Amino acid sequence: MAQKFQKKIIPLLRESVNSFVANPIILFPFVTTAFIQLFILEIIYFAPRFPLVYFFGPIIRRMAGEAYLHYPQHLLILPKWFQTAQYFLFIFVSSFLIAVAIEIIKNVNNNKKVTFANALRAMLPQYVHICLAAILTFFVFYALSKLQGSIIGRALQIRSDAGIFYMVKAVVLYGAPYFNLLIGTFATAVFAFVLPLIVIEHKKVLQAVVLNFKYLWGSFWFIFFVVLIPMLFYVPVLLLQSNLSSIASQTLEGVRLLSPAISIIVLTFIDATVYTAVTIHFLLKKESA
Amino acid sequence: MKKVIPIYLGILAGVFVLLSLLGRNSDYAIEQAAWKLQREYIDILKDPKVVPEQTFARIIKDYQKIIERYPDSKLTPGLRMIVGNVYLVKKDYETSREKFNEIIKLYPQNKELQAQAHSAIGRTYEAQDNWPGARKVYDRIVADYALTRTGLGVPIHIANHYKAQNDYQKAMDAYDRAIAHYNTLAAQNPDSPAEYSSLRYLGNCYLDQKRWREAVEVFGKVTDKYGRPEHMNIRTLDTILKTINTVSVYQLKNYEFPLQIYQDIIAKNPNHPWKSYFQKMIDTLSTLKAKSVQVPQTQ
């Protein structure tokens, strides 16, 4: 898989896609994550109906209010709840499965026999470190999102209908989902080598974070664009999400379910491309050192 | 990998189909089926005159289909009410009354629904400019369904009708009758939702009659007895307090009256859940009083 170390974005991404096309087992952990996410989405979608309502009804009533047990208000909280579920999923499940994928890529690279079960078993002792690394990434993402939230709050106070201040307000408000995408890209790029270090080098989380910054030194923008370019495939999903209300009002309210489902599928391939590329880059860098 | 993807898809599809089938008769399924129709119904309410006959027919047919499919759902009575209302909007008053009478016969145990159906029949007569017919129905609601939510609103509705007709004498008589009615209900049903509603309607009657002091006294009593989270939300309380303040300051030119009400409430209930809210009102009114803010008469 990894032949020689080169710092070119597009060839690296092409190599990443070629790797999981040639070795579909690399996709297995990502597809499993997508399966779990879609399953959770289904459960949240059916939560206010018989028989799940017996369990979820009191929770929805308590956390959101009686109105959200009914159609179509329930569909309004669906993305929010799913988002919250995804945070937990990322910390406790997705990050672990990404680590399993990295282990698989490492074994493929070393021409070792690869099975999902073996990779999973190999990663279990590292579970705590993987979760802590995920918490760290999530915390940075969350803090930056909060900062963005306060900027949005400030922008909402701008009363101008024209001129520079209005433009600032428009950019901050209409560009919010895209800035959030950039924040996600930044958080992923900043800790890009933490998981490869934990998985491949068997480092503990703190050591991995320190070494991550060492690896990132001088190549941050390279890694940033390696993450950003696949992320751009998520822009159509953002456009769909921003027009979802009008699409739903003209068609069916159930369309609201489609947006997170499409988002999961697109993100699966983006994550697979990004983490495979980062791992390949890490392995090449290590081999060339 | 090749085997796993179909397994995952199979599980997701299986769970989707299973949960869809299990929930197909739930209220949520009816809400889903009725939602689009509901929006069409709201659309025709905006300007019924331009709605073609076949649109009315289609909406009614679609509602009937849902009613036939889910005859025993707790949401079905509401759908039947909408069918009656669609006929009312369509100006087919006879059929509308037929539909509401069907509801009265179908759900004899549901007093509130019966009162609503009677009230809707009253509205059909009003739409036909047949006030005596409407009045007969309304009087029956007051006699037979006095304690229902709909029944409680009828006496003031009658008075408001005469007021809208500029029939001063009949309006005042109707308000007097409504006041007597609400006083009786409040006295007969102490510490109950009926007393709470009766007192609120009573206060409104006094406001309509410009009997400001009595209005403030009644709203003060409502606040004292029912101004708690278990009876009303903070927005309702806010509306009542604003009414008390506005009437006291603008009409009665009296700051002491509302101050006394709020101070008494706090003194009686030192741990009142909305104590800080009442205190805020006291502080605001005290500041205005200290500054001797004079307010002009609005009416």
Side-chain angles (χ1 to χ4, degrees), chain B residues 5-63:
Chain B
I5 290 179
I7 292 171
Y8 282 168
L9 289 175
I11 293 171
L12 290 172
V15 169
F16 193 91
V17 171
L18 180 72
L19 291 175
S20 297
L21 286 174
L22 286 172
R24 73 185 189 281
N25 288 327
S26 68
D27 289 342
Y28 190 92
I30 304 171
E31 287 165 0
Q32 215 171 356
W35 171 248
K36 223 176 167 185
L37 276 177
Q38 193 86 358
R39 277 171 48 194
E40 285 189 67
Y41 169 62
I42 291 165
D43 276 346
I44 64 167
L45 285 181
K46 286 176 193 160
D47 195 357
K49 283 178 202 155
V50 299
V51 177
E53 186 69 21
Q54 53 267 44
T55 305
F56 281 112
R58 185 179 48 75
I59 291 175
I60 290 166
K61 198 179 144 196
D62 288 349
Y63 269 119

Side-chain angles (χ1 to χ4, degrees), chain A residues 28 32 42 70-71 74 249, chain B residues 4 8 12 15 28 31 39:
Chain A
F28 190 42
T32 304
E42 260 187 15
H70 302 279
Y71 183 89
H74 162 247
S249 65
Chain B
V4 167
Y8 282 168
L12 290 172
V15 169
Y28 190 92
E31 287 165 0
R39 277 171 48 194

Side-chain angles (χ1 to χ4, degrees), chain B residues 42-200:
Chain B
I42 291 165
D43 276 346
I44 64 167
L45 285 181
K46 286 176 193 160
D47 195 357
K49 283 178 202 155
V50 299
V51 177
E53 186 69 21
Q54 53 267 44
T55 305
F56 281 112
R58 185 179 48 75
I59 291 175
I60 290 166
K61 198 179 144 196
D62 288 349
Y63 269 119
Q64 294 288 14
K65 263 191 210 166
I66 302 173
I67 290 167
E68 279 161 28
R69 193 172 161 196
Y70 306 102
D72 301 323
S73 165
K74 66 175 186 225
L75 299 175
T76 304
L79 298 181
R80 288 185 191 279
M81 284 295 291
I82 294 176
V83 171
N85 280 323
V86 175
Y87 280 112
L88 170 61
V89 176
K90 199 184 156 201
K91 297 190 177 177
D92 183 350
Y93 302 116
E94 279 304 320
T95 317
S96 177
R97 281 193 282 268
E98 243 173 59
K99 293 290 165 190
F100 291 126
N101 276 316
E102 265 175 34
I103 294 168
I104 294 165
K105 280 181 200 146
L106 277 168
Y107 305 99
Q109 73 294 352
N110 190 338
K111 287 276 175 198
E112 184 60 60
L113 183 69
Q114 289 208 325
Q116 281 175 14
H118 278 295
S119 173
I121 291 171
R123 279 204 309 278
T124 65
Y125 285 120
E126 279 196 71
Q128 285 181 298
D129 280 331
N130 180 358
W131 176 248
R135 181 65 201 268
K136 217 171 128 186
V137 176
Y138 292 144
D139 285 342
R140 190 176 164 196
I141 297 173
V142 175
D144 295 347
Y145 306 97
L147 292 176
T148 61
R149 216 153 44 90
T150 309
L152 281 160
V154 168
I156 198 166
H157 175 74
I158 294 170
N160 286 339
H161 168 82
Y162 289 122
K163 193 180 166 189
Q165 301 291 315
N166 289 320
D167 192 337
Y168 179 78
Q169 194 49 53
K170 280 189 177 166
M172 285 301 126
D173 290 346
Y175 277 123
D176 286 340
R177 270 197 302 277
I179 286 168
H181 179 74
Y182 291 130
N183 269 321
T184 310
L185 286 185
Q188 284 173 350
N189 302 277
D191 306 319
S192 71
E195 186 195 28
Y196 166 60
S197 299
S198 300
L199 289 176
R200 285 196 68 183

Side-chain angles (χ1 to χ4, degrees), chain A residues 76-118:
Chain A
L76 300 177
I77 56 161
L78 189 130
K80 201 177 136 194
W81 281 42
F82 180 63
Q83 183 75 43
T84 310
Q86 267 188 319
Y87 293 151
F88 289 99
L89 204 65
F90 171 71
I91 291 168
F92 297 108
V93 182
S94 307
S95 60
F96 180 69
L97 287 172
I98 290 168
V100 172
I102 293 169
E103 173 73 9
I104 291 171
I105 295 165
K106 182 190 87 179
N107 290 337
V108 168
N109 188 52
N110 294 339
N111 295 319
K112 282 186 187 169
K113 193 182 170 235
V114 184
T115 65
F116 178 71
N118 284 345

Side-chain angles (χ1 to χ4, degrees), chain A residues 163-188:
Chain A
I164 186 80
F165 287 111
Y166 174 74
M167 279 176 67
V168 170
K169 180 182 177 177
V171 167
V172 170
L173 295 184
Y174 294 118
Y178 307 98
F179 287 122
N180 203 256
L181 188 75
L182 278 179
I183 289 171
T185 305
F186 177 80
T188 309

Side-chain angles (χ1 to χ4, degrees), chain A residues 9 12-17 20 26-27 30 98 101-102 105 184-193 195-196 222-234 266-282:
Chain A
I9 297 167
L12 179 63
L13 290 172
R14 198 184 300 131
E15 178 65 27
S16 160
V17 174
F20 62 68
I26 295 171
L27 281 178
F30 296 104
I98 290 168
I102 293 169
I105 295 165
T185 305
F186 177 80
T188 309
V190 161
F191 298 105
F193 295 117
L195 283 182
F222 171 74
I223 293 297
F224 181 80
F225 283 104
V226 165
V227 181
L228 181 67
I229 290 168
M231 281 285 192
L232 294 178
F233 286 91
Y234 196 69
V266 174
L267 275 177
T268 300
F269 288 102
I270 292 174
D271 283 349
T273 310
V274 167
Y275 286 104
T276 309
V278 169
T279 308
I280 291 172
H281 179 73
F282 179 81

